[in-house]
């Protein structure tokens, strides 16, 4: 039976205004566990004296709990956020650290997401540092976060024991000395055991690095205007017709065309939507190559890799491109205004007019095709990978990678970005030699190609 009831002080670190509800939920949870929460609600860190108070509080805390959302926060004189400064200090003095990083694809309110490009980069770098230097989990909402913290804290109390806090009137000084002596002996024995296990682990280690090589992952500048420039079906507004065509425009044909669009409005809407999807994929393909490096010191066998891409980037292969055919126009009569414009072009260019009337020349020069990329299409066969469209996930298997060696995945895989910014793909790696899945974040920087 324990000589006294020990409490643990847990320092909660995060940005504040965007995570008020989450912090409140975690504080309530810690209090319900009969432990001691402490954090920035008790003080602000806007000068050196208050920073010393924060340092002292972290020193006297048993555990450091970090919550990262989608904001980087205000900057210190060193050019980093106070949250990152607290993390660096807790890491430096060896505090047990629990880290929770919010999933990137979770919907948020404007005030909950960083808008400053420089702070976005700093946040991405901070997350990379945290994921590589602490026990980390990802969370989606405050309920998910609370559940994960509730499970992790009791385990951490056992796996990373600390001195904790007790009431002075509940402890006999001689018994404290006896208990501390016993604990010191156990601590020394545990350290020796850890060193033995670490030495054994260093002899046999499996780990991976994974990178995505993309020549230039860019959104064409035209893409933002493409919705207005696609060959979409839309009604002809007589007031928008140039004056020089109004006298020659067949109004009866014009009304018939608009009426047909009205009757097939739902079908027209679906066609325009599918056409936009088709054009986006075929005009915005970025080929990629994957490189997997076994940075461990033993061979890895039967490696399974799943890469989940964010919603801002679609992953496709040549088979998916081949199946992505241009939708069929549901309007079976020609747009009378387009017909008028085409006739004018042919009248000014008799060679084009001759070609248009010659079916053989017309077929050779203007072949009808459902894909601008038919040249890369091949018959479907056994592929060394799969793409899950619903999960936006690429999966493949590698038979083995010897230690320190690389594996290059050079299939015809393409990324189709639909907006600019920094995003993360997430690679899940498992092999015969691993008991748990390795998770690696892959940073994707999507810029706008001004020359396209």
């Amino acid at each position: 039976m324990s000589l006294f009831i020990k409490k643990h002080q847990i320092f909660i670190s995060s940005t504040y205004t965007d995570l008020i509800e989450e912090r409140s939920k975690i504080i309530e949870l810690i209090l319900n566990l009969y432990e001691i929460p402490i954090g920035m609600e008790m003080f602000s860190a806007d000068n050196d004296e208050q920073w010393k108070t924060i340092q002292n509080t972290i020193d006297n805390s048993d555990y450091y709990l970090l919550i990262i959302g989608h904001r980087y926060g205000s900057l210190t004189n060193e050019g980093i956020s106070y949250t990152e400064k607290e993390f660096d200090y807790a890491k430096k003095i060896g505090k047990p650290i629990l880290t929770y990083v919010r999933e990137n694809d979770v919907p948020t309110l404007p005030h909950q997401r960083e808008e400053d490009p420089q702070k976005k980069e700093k946040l991405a770098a901070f997350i990379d540092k945290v994921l590589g230097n602490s026990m980390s989990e990802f969370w989606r909402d405050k309920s998910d976060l609370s559940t994960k913290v509730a499970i992790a804290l009791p385990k951490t109390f056992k796996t990373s024991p600390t001195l904790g806090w007790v009431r002075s009137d509940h402890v006999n000084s001689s018994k404290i000395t006896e208990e501390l002596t016993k604990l010191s002996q156990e601590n020394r024995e545990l350290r020796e055991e850890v060193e033995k296990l670490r030495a054994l682990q260093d002899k046999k280690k499996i780990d991976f690095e994974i990178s995505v090589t993309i020549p230039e992952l860019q959104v064409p500048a035209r893409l933002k205007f493409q919705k207005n420039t696609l060959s979409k079906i839309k009604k002809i507004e007589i007031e928008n017709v140039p004056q020089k065509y109004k006298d020659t425009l067949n109004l009866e044909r014009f009304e018939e065309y608009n009426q047909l669009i009205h009757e097939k409005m739902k079908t027209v809407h679906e066609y325009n939507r599918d056409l936009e999807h088709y054009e986006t994929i075929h005009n915005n393909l970025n080929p990629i190559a994957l490189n997997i490096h076994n940075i461990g010191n033993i061979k890895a066998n039967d490696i399974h890799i799943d890469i989940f891409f964010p919603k801002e980037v679609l992953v496709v292969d040549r088979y998916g491109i081949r199946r992505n055919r241009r939708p069929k126009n549901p309007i079976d009569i020609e747009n009378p205004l387009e017909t008028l414009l085409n006739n004018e072009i042919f009248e000014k260019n008799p060679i084009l007019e001759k070609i248009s009337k010659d079916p053989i020349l017309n077929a050779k020069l203007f072949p009808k095709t459902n894909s601008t990329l038919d040249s890369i299409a091949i018959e479907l066969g056994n592929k060394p990978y799969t793409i899950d469209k619903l999960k936006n996930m690429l999966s493949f298997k590698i038979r083995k990678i010897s230690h320190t060696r690389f594996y290059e995945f050079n299939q015809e895989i393409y990324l189709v970005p639909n907006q600019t910014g920094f995003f993360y793909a997430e690679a899940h790696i498992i092999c015969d030699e691993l008991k748990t899945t390795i998770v690696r974040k892959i940073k994707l920087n999507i810029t706008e190609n001004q020359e396209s």
Side-chain angles (χ1 to χ4, degrees):
M1 185 175 178
S2 177
L3 295 175
F4 45 80
I5 299 174
K6 182 168 64 173
K7 305 290 183 184
H8 303 92
Q9 181 169 298
I10 301 152
F11 187 95
I12 304 170
S13 178
S14 75
T15 50
Y16 185 70
T17 56
D18 56 319
L19 296 174
I20 292 177
E21 292 184 7
E22 287 79 1
R23 289 180 65 88
S24 177
K25 188 79 172 176
I26 296 305
I27 290 172
E28 180 183 355
L29 165 68
I30 293 172
L31 290 172
N32 287 336
L33 291 173
Y34 297 101
E35 306 295 348
I36 308 168
I38 192 166
M40 64 186 295
E41 290 86 353
M42 293 71 180
F43 37 72
S44 60
D46 56 4
N47 58 46
D48 292 339
E49 189 63 35
Q50 286 160 332
W51 171 245
K52 289 178 182 178
T53 303
I54 292 177
Q55 282 182 301
N56 185 56
T57 306
I58 296 176
D59 288 337
N60 292 324
S61 294
D62 297 287
Y63 301 95
Y64 176 89
L65 193 154
L66 173 63
I67 306 170
I68 299 180
H70 294 153
R71 291 189 66 84
Y72 185 61
S74 55
L75 303 181
T76 65
N77 293 332
E78 297 94 328
I80 63 173
S81 70
Y82 285 100
T83 306
E84 184 168 2
K85 187 174 182 178
E86 292 169 359
F87 172 81
D88 290 342
Y89 183 72
K91 189 71 180 176
K92 177 181 177 182
I93 64 175
K95 286 293 174 185
I97 297 175
L98 295 88
T99 304
Y100 298 88
V101 181
R102 193 166 200 175
E103 295 281 5
N104 195 49
D105 62 349
V106 175
T108 55
L109 297 173
H111 76 279
Q112 294 177 312
R113 189 174 287 272
E114 196 64 73
E115 296 297 334
D116 186 331
Q118 290 186 342
K119 285 189 176 182
K120 282 185 179 180
E121 288 193 36
K122 289 178 180 288
L123 176 61
F126 181 32
I127 291 174
D128 285 341
K129 175 166 65 175
V130 165
L131 293 176
N133 290 276
S134 64
M135 184 178 73
S136 305
E137 289 192 70
F138 294 93
W139 62 281
R140 298 189 66 81
D141 53 39
K142 60 185 179 182
S143 178
D144 180 38
L145 173 65
S146 178
T147 300
K148 289 179 176 177
V149 173
I151 294 172
L153 275 178
K155 290 182 180 179
T156 307
F157 295 158
K158 292 183 180 180
T159 57
S160 302
T162 59
L163 288 177
W165 299 79
V166 295
R167 285 175 61 96
S168 60
D169 60 344
H170 284 188
V171 184
N172 180 286
S173 60
S174 62
K175 289 183 178 180
I176 290 179
T177 303
E178 181 183 342
E179 183 76 5
L180 289 176
T181 302
K182 181 180 177 182
L183 289 173
S184 179
Q185 175 65 24
E186 290 178 353
N187 186 48
R188 184 164 53 252
E189 292 173 355
L190 286 171
R191 285 179 179 273
E192 292 174 356
E193 188 66 25
V194 167
E195 289 301 322
K196 291 179 182 178
L197 291 173
R198 186 173 294 165
L200 182 62
Q201 185 181 30
D202 288 341
K203 292 179 182 178
K204 292 184 177 182
K205 179 183 178 182
I206 283 283
D207 200 359
F208 297 96
E209 286 181 347
I210 184 166
S211 61
V212 176
T213 303
I214 311 167
E216 287 186 31
L217 186 55
Q218 295 181 325
V219 172
R222 284 197 300 260
L223 189 62
K224 64 175 65 176
F225 306 113
Q226 243 179 8
K227 293 182 180 180
N228 296 323
T229 60
L230 293 174
S231 301
K232 290 185 176 181
I233 300 172
K234 54 185 177 181
K235 288 185 177 182
I236 304 172
E237 303 294 342
I238 192 66
E239 60 269 20
N240 295 332
V241 176
Q243 183 61 42
K244 66 176 182 176
Y245 298 124
K246 286 185 177 180
D247 294 337
T248 54
L249 185 64
N250 186 329
L251 293 179
E252 183 178 338
R253 195 68 168 170
F254 157 81
E255 292 173 358
E256 181 185 357
Y257 182 79
N258 281 352
Q259 179 62 30
L260 190 57
I261 291 177
H262 177 74
E263 292 172 359
K264 296 187 176 184
M265 185 57 68
K266 181 178 179 182
T267 306
V268 166
H269 174 75
E270 293 174 352
Y271 168 81
N272 287 339
R273 180 200 61 202
D274 294 343
L275 181 64
E276 181 177 331
H277 179 74
Y278 169 85
E279 293 285 357
T280 299
I281 289 180
H282 284 261
N283 293 322
N284 197 21
L285 291 171
N286 295 265
I288 66 170
L290 295 167
N291 196 308
I292 298 90
H293 182 198
N294 181 356
I295 58 176
N297 52 23
I298 63 172
K299 180 172 69 175
N301 296 284
D302 288 329
I303 308 139
H304 294 260
I305 300 177
D306 297 328
I307 303 179
F308 298 86
F309 290 90
K311 67 179 184 301
E312 292 83 5
V313 179
L314 177 67
V315 58
V316 296
D317 62 0
R318 55 184 176 179
Y319 306 100
I321 296 167
R322 182 70 177 88
R323 288 190 292 265
N324 182 47
R325 297 182 179 276
R326 188 181 186 89
K328 183 179 179 182
N329 191 326
I331 305 299
D332 52 10
I333 64 173
E334 291 185 1
N335 182 319
L337 182 59
E338 288 185 4
T339 301
L340 193 65
L341 293 173
N342 289 337
N343 289 339
E344 182 182 54
I345 292 171
F346 289 136
E347 288 172 3
K348 292 181 179 179
N349 193 325
I351 296 177
L352 279 178
E353 183 178 16
K354 181 180 179 181
I355 291 172
S356 69
K357 294 178 180 179
D358 187 324
I360 297 177
L361 284 174
N362 194 39
K364 287 182 178 180
L365 294 175
F366 306 108
K368 294 182 179 181
T369 176
N370 286 316
S371 171
T372 58
L373 296 172
D374 278 346
S375 59
I376 68 168
I378 64 171
E379 293 298 321
L380 293 178
N382 293 325
K383 297 184 296 182
Y385 63 89
T386 58
I387 290 180
D388 188 322
K389 291 172 61 178
L390 293 178
K391 295 181 180 179
N392 203 24
M393 175 185 72
L394 169 67
S395 300
F396 56 95
K397 179 181 176 182
I398 305 169
R399 190 166 64 86
K400 65 179 180 179
I401 308 179
S402 298
H403 64 284
T404 73
R405 306 300 292 176
F406 292 84
Y407 175 85
E408 293 185 0
F409 180 84
N410 285 322
Q411 301 296 320
E412 292 188 45
I413 304 296
Y414 303 85
L415 295 184
V416 183
N418 55 52
Q419 70 178 77
T420 60
F422 289 99
F423 307 100
Y424 286 87
E426 189 172 276
H428 293 211
I429 310 170
I430 191 69
C431 67
D432 285 352
E433 290 73 22
L434 289 171
K435 293 183 178 179
T436 58
T437 301
I438 292 177
V439 178
R440 291 285 178 263
K441 291 282 187 179
I442 305 171
K443 188 174 183 179
L444 303 174
N445 179 19
I446 306 173
T447 60
E448 183 177 285
N449 183 0
Q450 299 294 339
E451 296 179 358
S452 60

